[in-house]
């Protein structure tokens, strides 16, 4: 058997493993969502776990934990996500899946007015061990209503936390941390990352929510990546390295709290920054980072902070348009070159 | 359903406490020129009282913007409630929530809630938690005749029905949502009719009669505890005052209508019936009223003697572990 | 209800066009390795066909993620639809929407929609517009058995009911929402039952029989045009294929169940009945089928001969008057 | 009679007048909302217009335009706002009121996935003359669920426009422009401004959506105000003037599109900027402006761009906490002093 530290696991399997291990450890955890198992109510006909989740991140869990802890739901996001929040307030630990982030509008009130505000408006009189899983990202040809990222909407809301794992290792660690937290945490899975493999320890571990990490050291410019954009930044850094430009890459990992200090430290070293964000640009996480780090590291900046973002448009369907929509390594590298005045 | 004398006393005390509390809070808020909406449930006291008579602290309740009655009936500390409304650090919620957000998890009170319909799924979740841990706890969701047209209320009833959760959906049909009459907003005479769409019992209850509420709620709660699933109770009742302080209900309803409902006032009616049927005597009832008046008096004094919240509270209770200065990074407080 | 021969021909043509279109689109999308979900309504053709037989271009229709049948029955250009799915500039929506977002306002087609339940209030609004301008236009909202548990669907039915708007709510109960059986997600055998909660007619319809759909829809649409308000039709039907390409329905349903539904296939059934009752003869039906096949063939050729969207289209159609460069300020395209 | 240009009108009355004049001009306009008239259906009992809107902005309209054009609705925001969008697509011109912006969660999907995206995903095949009125702002003791501003959520969504009038004059002009637009526009009314009077022409007029205006010229620092914060900036500018600090005040007026050029021009003159925003800070409009103008006017900046915002918390109830929450002239002036190194 391979060494733990060397074991390769996909992002999808890392999520599945985090759920399984935490549910084993803690009998209070309940999972809710649409088709997270599938064939609901038909075990007696020999059908169970028909889907294992729309992207198979929850497969095999119902076999191990049963219908009461792995609950398929009707298409009633406001009710079942609200119920997950209520159950958390009543002493359970709940994980609810919103199939796509684009659907957040149908349950937005529950997140905005209950999950985010209950503790504050109740003067501390409640714990909310509630995690919401959802998925983001364009690139699968699913057009305007199944491709957005929109984590900036959640980051804007005081009381919520949000994590954006960029590979299998961070997916397991952040999801585990989310499930152990008594604050509401939203975990944004990126659809294009499910197949990506990385080294993932077998034992459970937590990554601290609110901490960024440096995934590549460099001295000329800081690239900040969010979710899959971290992979894009690494690709761009490789391309730039070939030209003698040494880029540092910071993987944001949390969209709230945002680890401004980590980023600012990097910028104080490199004196330049490009933030890469697949979300729409206006009032985005990238804009927020540019504003805050732009203020706090102002004296260290040799060039304006730049952003590579999606355009301020919905996501188009046709492949050529969709490819133009998503920030890629070419756009990132070009922006760095422009910033360096090359 | 049988009611013990003890329960009768408790119900009467609850009703007079609710009424006194609200009228006094209204006066205090006005005299102090505090802002913020205060929604009085005066006239509707029978509903939370009759329902909560069957509950213990272990049971759950999700409430609305018009929640004082629910809180008091569920046993939330009245002094803390008054202090909350009067913006004191000793309030149930440190003065950070106010009238519309009173909550106390130790009493199973999941909170008053200012968004119409929004708290209903919280009760469904609490009921799911109860089932999960194998207890016989139940959860009650109170909501209004206006709220029944909110999508989340519909979704919640369906969810509770398919999972047979121990939830009692109590629709307090007080005939109005702000200035909008129920007969305009819904095309059916009895809102309880909607229960059929979820294959759960739907019961029309006289919400001006605490005995009727007590009976109907007892049956529904019994069903829920026995694992038979949710019930929808429509309690027909009336709010005597405006939607909130600024609202003059004379602009949308007749005095005759008001008088007809007030003629069936639950507190007067209870007194009459209790005495007539020899359930409780007048002196006992007087004593209970005096006690309630004293409790309210105490609660105002308690609030007056309490400090306002410390300014540092602005930044607490958002997250458990995030340093508060991180929350004010760009605020320049 | 009487049906003209012309109408019969049209209905048969519509049904075979829908089926051919979807099967061909499925093949083309697969062969070209285009991504994106394609939801086939094969098996359900009777429903949009029987309903839309009563509509003109002036009437409105709001559709779902499974919308090809609705579009075709409402008269949207089939070539444009194929071009849309095959990502061409000549698509109904310039290749920017794809299968899940086909729309054509000139046909009253308010759009397929990828969010379950989301399009239903659009139909209510279109019906309100019709009433406002005093026309006898109607609006049809199609949605699934899964969608009926979305809050907005409930709210929409109530709104249409109290305003007596000319909306026909057509619930296509194809027994499943993705892999979730309807009997798990809703606690009632007939979803039409929910109409009672809005005091509107609720009718269970055999969705595998286009004559039955035609009759029930005719009555409902007649009521709507006459100003008598909305109706809920529950059409019981079946999708023959998976939810989308990746889904194997054998994982949640039996072959016997599938076979029982397919034995009542609407296209085969129509042919049989039309010929048996002498309504249309076999040669005529063959000709209509051939025509449909030709139309689909043409549509693929049309798409093949069309260019992909120009890259500049990325930034158009967001706002009417905002300069497109303002939309790409930080994109570094 | 007073001269047109000199006529004083309150913000509330300016909104009412804009609605009335546009509805007179254009018979296709229909208004929907909860209690926008009141006593719905009871005209025959002698009751009509019992409320005229929760803040009396719509009063007397039902008398003039009747029940069909001034429609009281049940508490079903998703349905009636969705219906307003559908009616707009079907050729009407609709104005729907969301009573408080805090409630946006119950109808968010209709804004996000229909209003904002229909034209794009339909390839241009639809017009959407839909206006949503809503109200924002803390300061009325209504706590966490009736006090937020949250316009940043809408600004983040491509396809929506948003305006934030700061006085009666801009309220009338922007609302009129919104009602004449074929794009969906959200009009954010500030609760504390309803009583504020300013000069308002009697005849209808439009202010261009997407344009900021300079309300005070100055040379030392640019203050950018959003909605009521423009009044706060003017107050701060007065205080600073007494110390010899000459502040320019820009009134943003639109939160999408944002008039970056106007702001950047001002900053190129003053070399300093403070953005004042009552909305919560993370991914806010203030952060967006700081990021974008910080990039585009980088070479002109003598100091980091600073922001004065609400803290990243829900809105508290108690008056002392609420007052501490809302940015005020003292906080703004102090920030300017800090920026100037005084
Ligand atoms: C989602 C939402 N929409 C609108 C409001 C404004 N509002 C507060 S109370 C109320 C009326 C509620 O009526 P009902 O449910 O009958 O309760 P009641 O006030 O009669 O107790 C409305 C419309 C709100 N708080 N939340
Ligand atoms: C709000 C929302 N939740 C979940 C989904 C994912 N989803 C797409 S189709 C579907 C099932 C819909 O079932 P039904 O309404 O019966 O329509 P059918 O697919 O059977 O035609 C689901 C859950 C979605 N698109 N929107
Ligand atoms: Mg009511
Ligand atoms: Mg279905």
């Amino acid at each position: 058997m391979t060494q733990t530290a060397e074991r390769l696991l996909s992002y999808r399997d890392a999520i599945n493993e985090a759920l399984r291990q935490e549910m084993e450890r803690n009998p209070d955890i309940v999972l809710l969502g649409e088709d997270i198992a599938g064939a609901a109510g038909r075990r007696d006909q020999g059908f169970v776990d028909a889907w294992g989740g729309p992207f198979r991140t929850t497969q095999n869990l119902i076999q191990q934990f049963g219908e009461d802890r792995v609950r398929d739901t009707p298409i009633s996001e406001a009710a079942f996500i609200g119920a997950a929040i209520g159950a958390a307030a009543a002493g359970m630990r709940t994980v609810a899946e919103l199939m796509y982030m684009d659907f957040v509008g149908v349950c937005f009130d529950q997140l905005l007015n209950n999950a985010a505000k209950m503790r504050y408006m109740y003067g501390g009189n409640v714990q909310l061990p509630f995690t919401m899983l959802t998925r983001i990202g364009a690139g699968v040809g699913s057009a305007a209503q199944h491709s957005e990222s929109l984590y900036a909407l959640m980051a804007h809301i005081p009381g919520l936390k949000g994590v954006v794992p960029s590979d299998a290792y961070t997916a397991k660690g952040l999801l585990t941390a989310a499930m152990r937290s008594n604050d509401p945490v939203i975990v944004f899975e990126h659809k294009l990352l499910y197949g990506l493999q990385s080294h993932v320890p077998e034992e459970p571990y937590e990554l601290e929510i609110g901490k960024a990490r440096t995934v590549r050291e460099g001295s000329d410019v800081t690239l900040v990546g969010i979710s899959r954009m971290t992979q894009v930044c690494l690709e761009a850094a490789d391309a730039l390295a070939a030209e003698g430009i040494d880029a540092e890459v910071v993987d944001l990992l949390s969209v709230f709290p945002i680890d401004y200090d980590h980023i600012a430290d990097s910028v104080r070293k490199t004196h330049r920054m490009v933030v890469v964000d697949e979300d729409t640009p206006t009032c985005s996480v990238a804009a927020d980072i540019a504003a805050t780090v732009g203020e706090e590291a102002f004296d260290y900046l040799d060039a304006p902070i730049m952003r590579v973002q999606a355009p301020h448009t919905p996501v188009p369907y046709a492949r050529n348009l969709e490819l133009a929509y998503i920030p890629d390594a070419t756009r990132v590298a070009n922006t760095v070159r422009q910033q360096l005045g090359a | 359903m049988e009611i013990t004398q003890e329960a009768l006393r408790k119900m009467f005390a609850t009703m007079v406490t609710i009424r006194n509390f609200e009228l006094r809070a209204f006066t205090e808020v006005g005299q102090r020129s505090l802002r913020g909406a205060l929604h009085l449930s005066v006239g509707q006291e029978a509903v939370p009282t009759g329902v909560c008579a069957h509950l213990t602290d272990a049971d759950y309740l999700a409430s609305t913007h018009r929640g004082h009655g629910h809180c008091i009936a569920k046993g939330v500390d009245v002094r803390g409630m008054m202090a909350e409304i009067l913006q004191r650090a000793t309030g149930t919620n440190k003065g950070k929530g106010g009238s519309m957000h009173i909550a106390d998890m130790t009493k199973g009170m999941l909170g008053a809630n200012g968004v119409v319909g929004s708290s209903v799924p919280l009760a469904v979740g609490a009921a799911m938690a109860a089932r999960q841990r194998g207890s016989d706890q139940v959860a009650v969701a109170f909501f209004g005749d206006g709220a029944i047209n909110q999508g989340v209320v519909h979704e919640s009833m369906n969810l509770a029905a398919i999972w047979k959760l121990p939830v009692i959906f109590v629709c307090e049909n007080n005939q109005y949502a702000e200035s909008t009459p129920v007969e305009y907003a819904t095309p059916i005479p009895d809102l309880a009719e909607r229960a059929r769409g979820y294959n759960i019992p739907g019961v029309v209850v006289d919400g001006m009669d605490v005995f009727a509420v007590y009976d109907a709620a007892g049956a529904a709660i019994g069903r829920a505890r026995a694992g038979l699933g949710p019930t929808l109770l429509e309690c027909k009742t009336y709010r005597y005052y405006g939607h909130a302080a600024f609202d003059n209900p004379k602009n949308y309803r007749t005095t005759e209508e008001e008088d007809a409902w007030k003629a069936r006032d639950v507190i007067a009616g209870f007194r009459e019936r209790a005495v007539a049927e020899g359930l409780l005597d007048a002196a006992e009832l007087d004593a209970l009223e005096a006690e309630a008046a004293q409790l309210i008096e105490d609660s105002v004094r308690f609030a007056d003697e309490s400090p306002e919240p410390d300014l540092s509270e602005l930044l607490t209770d958002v997250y458990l572990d995030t340093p508060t200065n991180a929350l004010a990074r760009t605020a320049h407080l």
Side-chain angles (χ1 to χ4, degrees), chain A, chain B:
Chain A
M1 208 188 121
T2 49
Q3 282 279 6
T4 285
E6 290 176 11
R7 184 185 60 145
L8 279 175
L9 212 62
S10 71
Y11 190 84
R12 172 184 287 112
D13 291 342
I15 291 164
N16 188 262
E17 181 169 284
L19 292 169
R20 183 170 51 71
Q21 290 182 338
E22 250 346 78
M23 290 181 78
E24 281 169 355
R25 220 178 62 92
N26 188 337
D28 283 345
I29 297 180
V30 170
L31 213 64
L32 300 97
E34 292 155 16
D35 304 281
I36 56 172
R42 292 205 167 165
R43 195 190 275 273
D44 56 357
Q45 294 178 44
F47 299 120
V48 67
D49 208 34
W51 274 34
F55 286 76
R56 286 172 290 114
T57 49
T58 45
Q59 68 189 353
N60 293 323
L61 297 176
I62 195 166
Q63 286 92 325
Q64 187 173 349
F65 302 107
E67 276 80 1
D68 282 349
R69 294 187 62 198
V70 181
R71 286 185 182 251
D72 272 359
T73 67
I75 312 174
S76 306
E77 286 87 354
F80 79 75
I81 288 176
I85 297 164
M92 242 150 104
R93 195 163 277 276
T94 50
V95 182
E97 174 167 297
L98 174 67
M99 199 178 295
Y100 287 76
M101 182 57 190
D102 313 64
F103 308 158
V104 71
V106 302
C107 58
F108 202 87
D109 175 61
Q110 292 300 318
L111 300 170
L112 173 69
N113 282 313
N114 289 336
K117 293 178 184 166
M118 279 165 79
R119 183 178 302 125
Y120 191 85
M121 66 192 186
Y122 297 172
N125 196 331
V126 68
Q127 296 304 319
L128 285 170
F130 159 72
T131 298
M132 187 174 93
L133 301 175
T134 190
R135 48 185 69 84
I136 61 172
V140 293
S142 292
Q145 296 178 335
H146 289 73
S147 304
E148 290 196 307
S149 293
L150 296 181
Y151 35 72
L153 298 178
M154 301 289 107
H156 186 61
I157 301 175
L160 301 179
K161 292 181 171 179
V163 296
V164 277
S166 61
D167 64 10
Y169 172 75
T170 54
K172 180 171 173 182
L174 289 167
L175 174 49
T176 302
M179 286 190 281
R180 293 181 187 177
S181 171
N182 284 330
D183 283 329
V185 183
I186 302 177
V187 180
F188 298 92
E189 306 170 7
H190 197 292
K191 288 170 225 123
L192 291 193
L193 291 177
Y194 283 124
L196 184 73
Q197 296 203 322
S198 56
H199 292 293
V200 178
E202 288 185 14
E203 59 281 3
Y205 59 95
E206 286 183 68
L207 293 178
E208 191 182 341
I209 295 169
K211 292 289 175 216
R213 62 169 184 167
T214 299
V215 287
R216 177 186 173 121
E217 305 265 350
S219 55
D220 294 334
V221 59
T222 299
L223 302 179
V224 180
I226 306 174
S227 179
R228 193 178 81 84
M229 291 300 113
T230 298
Q231 305 298 339
V232 167
C233 287
L234 286 169
E235 213 187 302
D238 282 345
L240 292 166
E243 303 166 26
I245 301 170
D246 187 20
E248 176 145 313
V249 178
V250 174
D251 185 9
L252 189 64
L253 293 184
S254 290
V255 290
F256 198 85
I258 295 175
D259 196 350
Y260 303 113
D261 292 334
H262 186 106
I263 302 166
D265 280 346
S266 172
V267 170
R268 289 193 191 96
K269 183 177 76 172
T270 64
H271 307 294
R272 284 183 181 76
M273 175 162 83
V274 173
V275 190
V276 188
D277 187 355
E278 184 181 339
D279 201 354
T280 47
T282 317
C283 302
S284 60
V285 172
D288 185 275
I289 292 172
T292 306
V293 176
E295 177 180 344
E296 300 189 2
F298 182 75
D299 292 333
Y300 295 83
L301 286 174
D302 286 348
I305 295 171
M306 297 177 85
R307 287 172 276 155
V308 181
Q309 307 211 250
H312 189 75
T313 72
V315 182
Y317 168 61
R319 188 76 183 143
N320 65 332
L321 299 179
E322 191 185 28
L323 284 175
Y325 176 91
I326 308 168
D328 61 17
T330 308
R331 273 160 66 187
V332 175
N334 283 340
T335 305
V336 170
R337 289 184 200 109
Q338 188 189 331
Q339 195 182 48
L340 285 160
Chain B
M1 214 170 261
E2 291 263 335
I3 317 186
T4 63
Q5 276 221 327
E6 190 44 41
L8 281 172
R9 256 184 234 107
K10 179 107 191 295
M11 291 209 294
F12 187 74
T14 299
M15 294 194 294
V16 293
T17 303
I18 295 173
R19 186 163 297 185
N20 282 347
F21 178 87
E22 288 200 320
L23 293 175
R24 182 62 178 272
F26 188 77
T27 309
E28 296 295 327
V29 163
Q31 282 177 353
R32 294 160 200 241
S33 310
L34 299 180
R35 311 177 182 200
L38 204 68
H39 302 95
L40 305 192
S41 66
V42 171
Q44 308 179 196
E45 296 88 347
V47 184
T49 301
V51 171
C52 295
H54 301 280
L55 305 180
T56 75
D57 287 356
D59 296 311
Y60 297 101
L61 190 160
S63 172
T64 69
H65 57 287
R66 200 175 301 285
H68 307 133
H70 311 141
C71 292
I72 291 172
K74 193 69 177 64
V76 177
D77 176 40
V78 169
R79 301 187 326 157
M81 288 176 61
M82 187 64 85
E84 183 65 26
I85 291 171
L86 300 183
Q87 315 198 341
R88 303 298 156 157
T90 55
T92 37
N93 310 104
K94 301 186 190 165
K96 293 170 81 166
S99 162
M100 270 193 289
H101 307 302
I102 294 174
D104 184 352
M105 298 301 139
T106 66
K107 299 288 178 184
M109 173 63 202
L110 297 168
N113 200 306
V115 182
V116 169
S118 192
S119 65
V120 174
L122 301 178
V124 174
M128 179 176 75
R131 275 291 114 140
Q132 204 72 18
R133 64 173 77 101
S135 79
D136 75 345
Q137 293 161 287
V138 303
V140 178
F142 284 98
F143 57 94
D145 51 290
I148 207 158
N149 298 317
Q150 267 291 350
V152 71
V153 174
H154 158 76
E155 295 183 9
S156 296
M157 290 199 272
N158 187 64
L159 199 62
I162 67 165
W163 288 345
K164 286 206 178 309
L165 296 178
V167 188
I168 299 88
F169 295 98
V170 182
C171 178
E172 294 182 272
N173 179 356
N174 65 4
Q175 317 301 323
Y176 296 92
E178 297 188 338
S179 75
T180 303
V182 62
E183 80 272 8
Y184 172 82
T186 31
I188 43 174
D190 293 324
L191 305 179
E193 174 81 14
R194 291 211 167 142
R196 285 175 180 260
Y198 316 103
N199 198 15
I200 63 174
V203 186
V204 177
V205 184
D206 180 356
M208 301 305 282
D209 176 355
V210 74
F211 298 94
V213 175
Y214 182 87
D215 287 351
I221 291 167
R223 264 180 57 87
R225 291 204 203 280
L228 299 174
T231 300
L232 170 61
L233 302 180
E234 179 198 2
C235 300
K236 309 231 191 220
T237 180
Y238 206 70
R239 66 162 152 74
Y240 290 180
Y241 292 86
H243 172 71
F246 64 86
D247 170 39
N248 178 4
K250 296 264 188 271
N251 290 331
Y252 49 86
R253 64 191 198 189
T254 62
T255 308
E256 297 80 71
E257 180 185 290
E258 292 187 350
D259 289 346
W261 284 94
K262 287 180 186 169
R264 304 184 47 241
D265 183 68
V266 62
I267 293 179
F270 184 100
R271 178 182 275 275
E272 209 169 292
R273 177 164 164 190
V275 174
E277 299 186 7
L279 304 171
L280 297 173
D281 65 35
E284 238 174 326
L285 294 165
D286 291 344
L288 289 168
E289 280 199 337
E291 244 175 71
Q294 189 57 49
L295 177 61
I296 303 310
E297 205 55 52
D298 284 352
S299 73
V300 175
R301 187 172 335 105
F302 173 72
D304 276 333
E305 290 167 5
S306 300
E308 60 182 13
D310 191 84
L311 276 181
S312 65
E313 289 291 350
L314 178 60
L315 303 178
T316 62
D317 303 322
V318 187
Y319 301 101
L320 286 175
D321 54 4
T322 305
T324 55
N325 60 0
L327 306 180
R329 202 148 185 152
T330 59
H332 295 281
L333 295 178

